Amino acid sequence: MGKRFVELIKYFYECFIETLFPHINQCICCGEESDEVICDKCNSKINYITGKIKLKDFDEYVYPCCYYGHEIKKLVLKFKYGRDFYIGEKLGDFIIDKIKSFEDKNWVLAYIPSSKKNIKDRGFDQCEFLAEYIEHETGILAKKYLIKDDNVKEQKRLSHKERIDNLKDAFQSSKEVSGKEVILIDDVITTGATLFFAKKALIDAGAKKVLIIAVAKSTI
Ligand SMILES: [Zn+2]
């Protein structure tokens, strides 16, 4: 009983330390010892994007922080499905660096809301988490300006045309964005259809300007 009790105490102690100091001295990608949050080896494999890129299917520019390669995919999945909020904050830092590269300073922050089903499955809304973290770190006001129709189907298995039909009336924006400069954030951009129509809803509600930033852009 004594030994098992000590093991149990040790286990709880480790959980407690992991909660207080998650991933300390560890690379969040590979888990190897590292003084940096992402070790040099993993960092060199991340394909960062400077400035903006044009979406293939829309007349629209977006500002992803990097391409959705192996390392970033691992981080996004651990954050989204493993509820690793420490990683979520690091992904939020990517977006903050991007925001700092813009000259304008009077932004408000909007985000693509998850569906009720996804929130129930994952236990949280990942873009809301990112928006709240960015608000906390930068003071930029973040709000749920966008509402997404919950009848919209999952995009993954739809063709390009079906995606457009599925999304074109999917978003509604609060009129509070009227006259404001908005940063619209998402985790991963695939075709950009979601962001294109979300931006349209913000503009229709009177937003003066909308910039789209995401953690990553998939090469699809
Ligand atoms: Zn690493």
Side-chain angles (χ1 to χ4, degrees):
M1 145 84 194
K3 198 180 165 209
R4 278 193 63 192
F5 183 70
V6 171
E7 286 294 317
L8 203 64
I9 294 290
K10 213 173 126 194
Y11 171 74
F12 282 123
Y13 175 75
E14 278 164 10
C15 291
F16 177 65
I17 291 296
E18 178 65 17
T19 312
L20 282 185
F21 310 106
H23 308 290
I24 206 155
N25 292 332
Q26 260 186 335
C27 166
I28 56 172
C29 287
C30 65
E32 295 288 316
E33 207 174 295
S34 165
D35 291 335
E36 303 294 328
V37 176
I38 299 175
C39 76
D40 289 345
K41 201 173 147 197
C42 291
N43 203 30
S44 68
K45 291 182 199 157
I46 297 174
N47 195 354
Y48 290 101
I49 298 171
T50 317
K52 59 187 175 183
I53 58 170
K54 191 171 184 287
L55 293 175
K56 210 166 65 184
D57 300 321
F58 301 94
D59 188 19
E60 185 63 61
Y61 286 92
V62 291
Y63 293 81
C65 303
C66 53
Y67 285 103
Y68 195 46
H70 178 70
E71 275 66 31
I72 291 297
K73 191 172 179 181
K74 225 157 93 177
L75 296 182
V76 169
L77 296 182
K78 273 191 199 170
F79 166 50
K80 251 167 113 163
Y81 301 100
R83 296 167 68 169
D84 189 324
F85 299 125
Y86 179 75
I87 288 179
E89 289 179 2
K90 298 304 129 195
L91 298 175
D93 288 338
F94 280 16
I95 295 181
I96 291 172
D97 285 345
K98 201 80 172 176
I99 294 173
K100 284 182 182 162
S101 70
F102 301 128
E103 276 178 19
D104 297 15
K105 298 283 176 236
N106 299 315
W107 301 105
V108 293
L109 200 67
Y111 60 91
I112 302 291
S114 293
S115 67
K116 281 197 186 102
K117 187 187 173 299
N118 283 344
I119 294 174
K120 206 173 154 217
D121 290 349
R122 292 174 201 156
F124 77 115
D125 180 333
Q126 76 274 6
C127 288
E128 181 183 50
F129 176 91
L130 290 172
E132 283 176 358
Y133 173 71
I134 294 164
E135 178 181 51
H136 181 261
E137 295 297 303
T138 63
I140 298 172
L141 176 72
K143 262 189 172 180
K144 191 178 179 181
Y145 293 110
L146 288 165
I147 294 171
K148 191 175 172 191
D149 181 350
D150 259 351
N151 295 317
V152 169
K153 290 182 234 156
E154 275 272 355
Q155 292 286 98
K156 281 178 196 161
R157 287 180 189 83
L158 302 181
S159 70
H160 176 63
K161 192 184 170 301
E162 284 169 336
R163 280 181 184 227
I164 288 178
D165 287 342
N166 189 37
L167 282 170
K168 63 176 196 261
D169 301 313
F171 291 99
Q172 280 203 334
S173 167
S174 156
K175 296 267 185 263
E176 278 182 82
V177 295
S178 181
K180 297 206 163 73
E181 297 178 23
V182 183
I183 285 177
L184 171 59
I185 63 161
D186 199 0
D187 50 358
V188 181
I189 305 174
T190 44
T191 65
T194 302
L195 285 156
F196 178 81
F197 289 109
K199 176 176 174 175
K200 190 174 172 297
L202 291 164
I203 296 282
D204 288 348
K208 196 164 115 192
K209 182 175 178 179
V210 179
L211 285 189
I212 296 170
I213 307 184
V215 173
K217 169 79 181 81
S218 81
T219 44
I220 298 164

